[in-house]
Each structure stands twice: as structure tokens, then as C-alpha cells.
Amino acid sequence: MCGIVGKINFSGEPVEKSLLKRMTDSIVYRGPDDEGFYSAPYIGLGQRRLSIIDLRSAAAPPLSNEDGSVWVVFNGEIYNFKDLRSELIEKGHRFRTATDTEVIVHLYEEYGVECLHRMRGMFAFAVWDVNKKMLFAARDRVGKKPFVYAKTPSSFVFGSEIKTVTADPTIRRTPDYSALDSYLRWQYVPSPRTAFAGISKLPPGHYLTCDAEGNLHVCQYWAPPCSTKTTLPEEEIQQELLRILRESVRLRMVADVPIGAFLSGGIDSGTMVALMAMESSVPIKTFSIGFDEEKFNELPFARMLAERYGTEHHEFTVRPSAADVLPLLVRHYNEPFADPSALPTYYVSKMTRQHVTVALSGDGGDENFAGYAHYRKVMQWAKLDGMPVALRRAIFNSADALLRGFLHVNAVAKMSKAFRMASAQLPERYRQYLSILKDQEKDYLYTDHFRQLVNESLPAQAIRDLPWREDMDSMDWMMRHDQSHYLPDCLMVKTDIASMANSLEVRCPFLDHHMIEFSATIPSDMMIDGNGGKAILKSAVKDLLPEAILRKPKTGFGVPVSKWFRGDLAPFLKDVLLSDSARKRELFHQGHVQRMVEEQLSGTRDWGNRLWAFLVLELWFREFID
């Protein structure tokens, strides 16, 4: 795992090494083991390296082909690199290292941009083609590795994080208020926007080309599939599911450094540990996070799994004082990110890195096998869909309009949400259910000044819509929606930033694209039964896990922020959100914010997730804008 940077000067001047050094210095934690640079007419590339495969300094990127006409910087892992390497050697390519990085160089030589379809892994890379004077950059299918960029009239600048791009003095740090409006709705900034005007994310499953004259093209090469459903017997489906998953785990255990696993105590991470134990001749190292609050604590289940598979087990309990690291996390995330589970993810990564360099994670199981409870909750509203949509909108929108003056009352707010869910169709219904700050809450929280800033920003790019028809399987559509948006823009960002802040590589077998493509062929009625989601997965792994784990309700990776705000974090919450600096920004009506804080502290209403989003936003302004 690494951090990459680069720049194209359209004037033809080589990029100064001092600039590349400044860019890589901003992300040393992504690659503490080594660094390398390449500068030539038009181009400059740089990389920090976390050595995982072929630990020699001679293997440090940037790497080139035999004649120096193709150069690459690379962040990630190509899990099938050994097979690809053998194939390329047979075609006459010569290798100087044993890395997967060098495979990309020769794969591009052989296949051009089509090389992406041959890669099985997580990656963000940039290839400079000297002869074509063209940059080819790509991001993996589900966005496990980040790639951000900015194009100006004179240059194209890119890197693994926003701070690498803003290290270039020609790139300004100006808020994109339309993106901040999206952040307040979703708790993250959806790609391709970032919180900074003029800086973009390359979406997952996309590549770009930029030539020396500044011609930039962004193209999609993969998307979560909408597949024909298999007619195989359920037992055969389970066997194939387990085969692909075992293969995915085995491929991700290849490393020249110590390897371990995150163990939450749930089905996904428990399955990872079970399959790893089968592949390993030595005890697996496992790492778990817990809380003092019983509702959020899964440590007893994690211990159950650790004992069953004889792992070398480590634990850490997250308490309110752990939030002291929040300003540091804001700095690492580069833009506002309000998923509170960033805290335990950071601490489990920190603990894990003290023992290993690579960890496997169970991320992706919920999106592949309908593990989220909200899938069923949203589908319950489909009972109203027998009524014509025009009639539903007329009835429930009118009822909702009568409540607008009273939305600050909790009971009224719940009624308004119900009316909006009833009047909607699946796409808007699902997005409304997932949103953090609801539209009706924005109505009374946003100041006229903030609304003007949002409207004056570049037109908001709508979330990349998935095709939808009324005859579509609703469960399939929701899972694909999460695979396209929530998974790459929230979960993968959380995992990448929290782990890389601690120089730890995290690998996710459930997110192997073979696994995603196979799960898309499984009929959705095999995903959910009377005990909840993941029915087919539970059946497939029932011999690997204790019955107590298979039967327990889904816990998730929640954080008791609402309780913390009423206790140890109350002074911090008030000091930040009710400060003069927050008031002077004039983004929110402070009277409403103060009322939310007071209701949270008194326990009369739970505003925990909204207040956390406001808190992170204010800290972001202080860190990057003020």
C-alpha cells in the first residue's frame, strides 16, 4: 500500500522534484518505508511506499518498462499478479522486480486501457506514456483506493489525498458549498465532488486520460451488475459462494510481511477468520474493538470466535476520551466525514499496526447479501405502491405541507418523514431513508447566506443515478445503490483513511469483483428470511461459525455518540458548535443549533448524528479553510 502523487505541466516543463517531495511529504504515513520520484518533460510522478511484496529498495516505484517509455505509480494490490506476470513473461516482457507494481507497466504495454479488465485487486494508479505524452489513471471497481485530481489551464495535478493536490501552490483551497450541502445529507461528500471547489474524485470503476495539451476524458469501465438470476439449486449456490470466498481470502493472504484480521464478532469478519485459519499453518492474529455500553459491544462474540480458531487475539475498548483524536481524524480525512465509526476504525487500525502490516476485513458482506435492516424497512412502504403515484403524492404531499411550520417538534417531524416516504417511489424513498439531515430540517436550519453560497456553487451534480423501473426487484436495486454510492464514498473512505493513517493495509475478500458479480446472480428471496438478511450466506458458512453468532441480531459498527454527548463530550460539543467562529460563518440559524444541543444534553430528543455532522464540519473549516 502506498500514496501516489503527480503533475502534468502543459507547457512542457519538467515538474520540479521539490514540489513532488512536498506532495509526498504530506502523506508519509501512507508509505513510511520508501519514496521515489520521476521527472521529465511535461511530467512529474512521486510515491511513498509501504512495502508489502518484494521489500527491496530496488522495487520502490516509480517503476518503468525496459526502455523507460512507460512509467507507473501505484497504490494497492493486484491479487492475481503472479498469473499475470507469468503470462507477460511468455509474451516477451522482462521484469526487474517481483512486485505487482511492475506488472501494471507491462500489462499496459500489452493491452492499453483494456488492462483494467484483467486485474483482480484494489488499486489507484497512474501510468505516464512517454511516446503518447499521455497520463492513464484508474481506480478499482468498488473504490477501495482513492484518486483525486484538479485541472487548471496550465496543469493537471493528482494524488491519493486532497492534501497532496493542495500542496501545489497553484491549487486553491476554496469550499464547494454545494458539496457541503450533500455532505450534510449523506454524512460524506459523494463522488465525483469533493469539499473543495475545482478538486474532484475519480469515481470507482472509472479511468481517465489526460494528454500534454490538457484534453481530459473520464470513462467508466465497470459497474455493479444487474445480472440474470441463477436457477442452480440452493445447495450448489452455497458451495460456489464458499469456493469464491475461500479463493478471495487465499489471494489476499499473499504478503512478505505479517498479516492479521479485524474481528468484530459478526458473520462477515468471523467467516474471514475461519477461512484464514484454514489457510494458515500458524495462529491468525485477530483484533477487536469494544465499548462499555452493552448495546454496542461485540467483544464477547469476538472472543468466542477467537477461542474457536485459536487466534492470537487483541482487544481495545473505545471510551468517550477516544474522541480527543477527532481533530486529527478531520485532518486525515481532508474533507468533512461524519460517520462516527471512523473513531473505532482508527483505533482498531492503530492497535493492529502494532502487530501486523496487513489486515483482512469483512467489509462488503452487507452490500452483497442484503445484511442491512433498512432494506426490509424501506420495502415495507411498498405496501402503498398499489395506489397510483400521482394520487399518493397529492394526498401525502398536501398533508406534509400542513406540518411545515411545526417541524422542530419531534412528533411532527416523524409524521412529516412518514408522509414523504408514503408519497415517494423507491429511489427517492430509499435516499430519504438514508439521509442524515432531512430536507425539511434544512428548511429551518440553513441561513439565507448558506443557501446563497450553495446556489452560487457550481450546479450540484446529482448522485450518480442507477437505472430504475417499477418492475425491478427492489432489493437488488437497493444493494446495487449501496455498492455504487455508500460503499465506495463512505465505507471504503473510512477504512482507507483510518488504516492508512496508521500505515496499515486492509484487504476485503467480500469485495472481490468475482464475489460481487456472483452474488448479483442470487435471487433476492434467498437473501432474507424470518431472521433477517444474509440468509444464503449464513447457510453457506453455518459449519464455520458458532450458532450464537449466526442467530444474533446485526449490531453494526455503531458508536454511542448520543450518550457521549450527554456526558463526557458535552463541554466539547458546546464549545465548538456554540462558538463565535461557528456563529460568524452564518451557515446555520444558531438559535436552532442551540436548541438541538440543549435537547441532546437534556435527553428530550436525540440529535446525535446531526450534531456529530455539524461538529465535524466546524472542525474541518478550522483545519482547512480558516
Side-chain angles (χ1 to χ4, degrees), residues 413-528:
K414 290 181 178 179
M415 290 175 61
S416 175
K417 176 183 175 181
F419 289 153
R420 294 190 179 209
M421 293 290 285
S423 68
Q425 291 183 287
L426 178 64
E428 56 189 298
R429 184 180 285 160
Y430 189 60
R431 289 167 188 152
Q432 176 163 310
Y433 189 91
L434 292 183
S435 63
I436 302 303
L437 193 65
K438 311 299 183 185
D439 288 339
Q440 57 267 45
E441 292 167 345
K442 291 181 181 181
D443 288 344
Y444 62 80
L445 277 166
Y446 282 15
T447 64
D448 291 341
H449 174 63
F450 188 25
R451 293 183 189 282
Q452 183 177 355
L453 291 172
V454 171
N455 293 334
E456 289 175 352
S457 299
L458 291 173
Q461 292 170 291
I463 194 164
R464 292 170 283 114
D465 283 330
L466 289 174
W468 179 78
R469 302 184 311 273
E470 289 190 39
D471 61 345
M472 279 185 169
D473 184 295
S474 297
M475 187 70 68
D476 278 354
W477 187 89
M478 289 186 287
M479 287 190 290
R480 289 177 61 240
H481 183 280
D482 283 353
Q483 290 168 348
S484 300
H485 304 299
Y486 177 64
L487 179 69
D489 287 338
C490 184
L491 294 189
M492 293 297 94
V493 171
K494 175 185 69 179
T495 299
D496 173 75
I497 294 294
S499 60
M500 284 284 89
N502 292 286
S503 305
L504 176 74
E505 175 175 302
V506 175
R507 302 174 177 179
C508 308
F510 274 109
L511 293 178
D512 189 296
H513 75 278
H514 290 195
M515 184 78 263
I516 296 173
E517 290 169 354
F518 176 73
S519 69
T521 69
I522 301 174
S524 63
D525 59 8
M526 291 187 181
M527 301 283 191
I528 291 183

Side-chain angles (χ1 to χ4, degrees), residues 369-380:
F369 299 104
Y372 293 124
H374 62 248
Y375 292 145
R376 286 175 294 154
K377 292 179 180 178
V378 171
M379 288 183 68
Q380 288 172 357

